[in-house]
């Protein structure tokens, strides 16, 4: 149980951290790489060069100030709403599972699914854009119909790990879920 | 109906080929001959020459847009990752599990995704 380096479907490296808090409770944290300062600087320089070129031709200073404002607001919205730092899956046998994503600005969104609603955690394949990917998902069932799948909750959507990482998480989850 | 070549199909094909070449020749005639000559012969009620250029250009633009839109419509109609349709459907849910008698080939049916996963990912490596 420790840190492992895997890749996501696009080839970017991610890391998986498996922690076993007890025999019935395990946590899996998939971390994406942090926002690189080089990329931020390149992006800002390009935007400001374009804005300066437009200002050079139109002689309108609002172009410059609006470019600065748009860059700042855009970066703030990106790190608060879009850039996911790590996603975690906490499996507690006989209680339920907790999914949480934490964004680069520190914001965290958490969902808890109780054990009676969980039918299974499986690895499914589906078409995503132009490729077919493996992804881990939770199958939910209604208490009135224990044999039918009522809905599907995909896990690790922002980091999208590849099959070797998913297999590890799958085997570990099945051990915990089958104990109760 | 077989897709093999037949004499009738060869004749239809050749007739269509001749017809389309002749139609193109007539179109070129109409596009290139000046209006006064056509009026002097007596053909006065033909479309404006503007359309001789506009229609081919419209068709080419439509062709390019259709290619893009086909791709877009396909991507739009693909089921998202959280849809139940990628796990099961009406027919798989309503299948009955029958007991297989000894020696009989079991009936063809859909294997549930939990079993498939156990077969794939729990087998010893």
């Amino acid at each position: 149980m420790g840190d492992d380096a895997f890749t996501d479907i696009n080839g970017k490296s991610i890391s998986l951290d498996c922690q076993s808090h007890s025999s019935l409770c395990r946590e899996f944290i998939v971390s994406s790489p942090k926002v690189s300062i080089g990329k931020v600087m390149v992006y800002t320089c390009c935007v400001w060069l374009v804005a300066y070129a437009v200002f050079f031709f139109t002689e309108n200073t609002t172009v410059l100030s609006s470019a600065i404002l748009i860059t700042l607001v855009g970066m703030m919205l990106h790190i608060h709403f879009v850039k996911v730092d790590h996603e975690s899956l906490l499996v507690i046998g006989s209680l339920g599972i907790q999914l949480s994503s934490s964004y680069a600005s520190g914001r965290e969104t958490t969902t808890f699914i109780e054990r009676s609603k969980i039918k299974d955690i499986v690895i499914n394949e589906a078409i995503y854009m132009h490729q077919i990917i493996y992804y881990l998902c939770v199958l939910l069932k209604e208490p009135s119909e224990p044999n039918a799948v009522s809905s599907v909750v995909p896990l690790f959507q922002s980091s999208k790990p590849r099959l070797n990482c998913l297999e590890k998480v799958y085997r570990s989850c099945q051990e915990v879920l089958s104990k109760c | 109906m077989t897709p093999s070549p037949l004499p009738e199909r060869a004749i239809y094909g050749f007739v269509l080929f001749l017809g389309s070449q002749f139609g193109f020749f007539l179109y070129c005639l109409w596009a290139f001959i000046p209006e006064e000559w056509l009026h002097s012969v007596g053909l006065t009620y033909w479309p404006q020459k503007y359309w001789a250029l506009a229609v081919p250009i419209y068709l080419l633009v439509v062709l390019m847009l259709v290619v893009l839109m086909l791709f877009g419509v396909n991507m739009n109609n693909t089921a998202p990752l959280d849809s139940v349709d990628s796990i099961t459907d009406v027919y798989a849910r309503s299948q009955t599990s029958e007991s297989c008698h000894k020696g009989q080939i079991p009936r063809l049916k859909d294997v549930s995704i939990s079993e498939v996963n156990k077969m794939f990912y729990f087998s010893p490596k």
Side-chain angles (χ1 to χ4, degrees), chain B residues 1-124:
Chain B
M1 294 296 287
T2 59
S4 59
L6 299 171
E8 294 88 29
R9 292 176 180 168
I11 295 174
Y12 299 154
F14 192 56
V15 164
L16 275 178
F17 168 71
L18 283 182
S20 63
Q21 295 285 37
F22 185 58
F24 181 63
F25 174 66
L26 288 181
Y27 168 78
C28 282
L29 273 186
W30 164 64
F32 283 111
I33 294 180
E35 292 233 343
E36 303 83 32
W37 296 13
L38 287 178
H39 286 340
S40 68
V41 176
L43 307 164
T44 49
Y45 203 63
W46 286 108
Q48 278 185 322
K49 289 305 178 74
Y50 160 79
W51 293 108
L53 283 181
V55 168
I57 295 178
Y58 272 131
L59 286 178
L60 285 177
V61 171
V62 163
L63 183 69
M64 288 197 305
L65 290 179
V66 158
V67 167
L68 290 176
M69 270 200 52
L70 193 64
F71 192 61
V73 166
N74 269 325
M75 278 185 64
N76 206 27
N77 285 341
T78 310
L81 291 187
D82 59 357
S83 84
V84 191
D85 298 321
S86 49
I87 305 282
T88 181
D89 67 354
V90 180
Y91 301 102
R93 261 179 279 200
S94 59
Q95 65 189 1
T96 51
S97 51
E98 292 185 357
S99 58
C100 47
H101 310 282
K102 277 209 105 54
Q104 248 186 13
I105 300 174
R107 182 177 256 216
L108 184 71
K109 63 187 178 104
D110 190 37
V111 184
S112 79
I113 188 167
S114 311
E115 283 182 45
V116 171
N117 265 242
K118 288 195 178 69
M119 263 186 263
F120 275 150
Y121 305 120
F122 271 146
S123 57

Side-chain angles (χ1 to χ4, degrees), chain A residues 1-176:
Chain A
M1 305 300 160
D3 241 342
D4 287 315
F6 292 98
T7 68
D8 71 351
I9 55 172
N10 296 321
K12 289 200 268 287
S13 66
I14 56 173
S15 75
L16 170 72
D17 182 18
C18 310
Q19 293 171 4
S20 183
H21 302 295
S22 83
S23 65
L24 283 177
C25 175
R26 295 203 189 156
E27 185 167 15
F28 311 95
I29 305 177
V30 173
S31 323
S32 313
K34 312 259 190 271
V35 181
S36 79
I37 195 79
K39 240 174 114 174
V40 167
M41 284 189 50
V42 162
Y43 178 69
T44 330
C45 285
C46 286
V47 169
W48 286 352
L49 275 177
V50 166
Y52 193 72
V54 173
F55 165 72
F56 185 70
F57 286 116
T58 60
E59 301 293 330
N60 194 0
T61 50
T62 49
V63 170
L64 292 177
S65 38
S66 60
I68 293 175
L69 208 62
I70 289 175
T71 325
L72 285 177
V73 170
M75 285 203 286
M76 288 199 307
L77 290 178
H78 182 80
I79 62 172
H80 193 68
F81 290 112
V82 173
K83 181 82 182 82
V84 167
D85 187 50
H86 59 264
E87 294 169 293
S88 83
L89 168 70
L90 174 68
V91 183
I92 308 176
S94 79
L95 189 64
I97 64 174
Q98 174 172 283
L99 327 167
S100 111
S101 342
S102 122
Y103 293 84
S105 63
R107 177 172 82 106
E108 269 202 46
T109 55
T110 320
T111 320
F112 177 75
I113 306 175
E114 52 185 4
R115 182 70 181 93
S116 60
K117 290 214 173 72
I118 300 175
K119 184 159 191 275
D120 204 359
I121 297 184
V122 296
I123 297 181
N124 190 21
E125 303 124 31
I127 301 176
Y128 176 74
M129 303 279 231
H130 56 279
Q131 53 186 329
I132 299 182
I133 59 167
Y134 292 98
Y135 63 105
L136 199 63
C137 56
V138 184
L139 304 179
L140 303 182
K141 64 172 192 256
E142 290 301 314
S144 52
E145 258 188 277
N147 284 331
V149 177
S150 71
S151 61
V152 173
V153 176
L155 305 175
F156 301 129
Q157 280 304 283
S158 321
S159 34
K160 290 204 170 56
R162 281 193 179 161
L163 187 60
N164 41 10
C165 180
L166 295 178
E167 267 186 43
K168 255 185 103 161
V169 179
Y170 170 76
R171 289 205 186 103
S172 217
C173 280
Q174 288 290 324
E175 279 173 25
V176 177

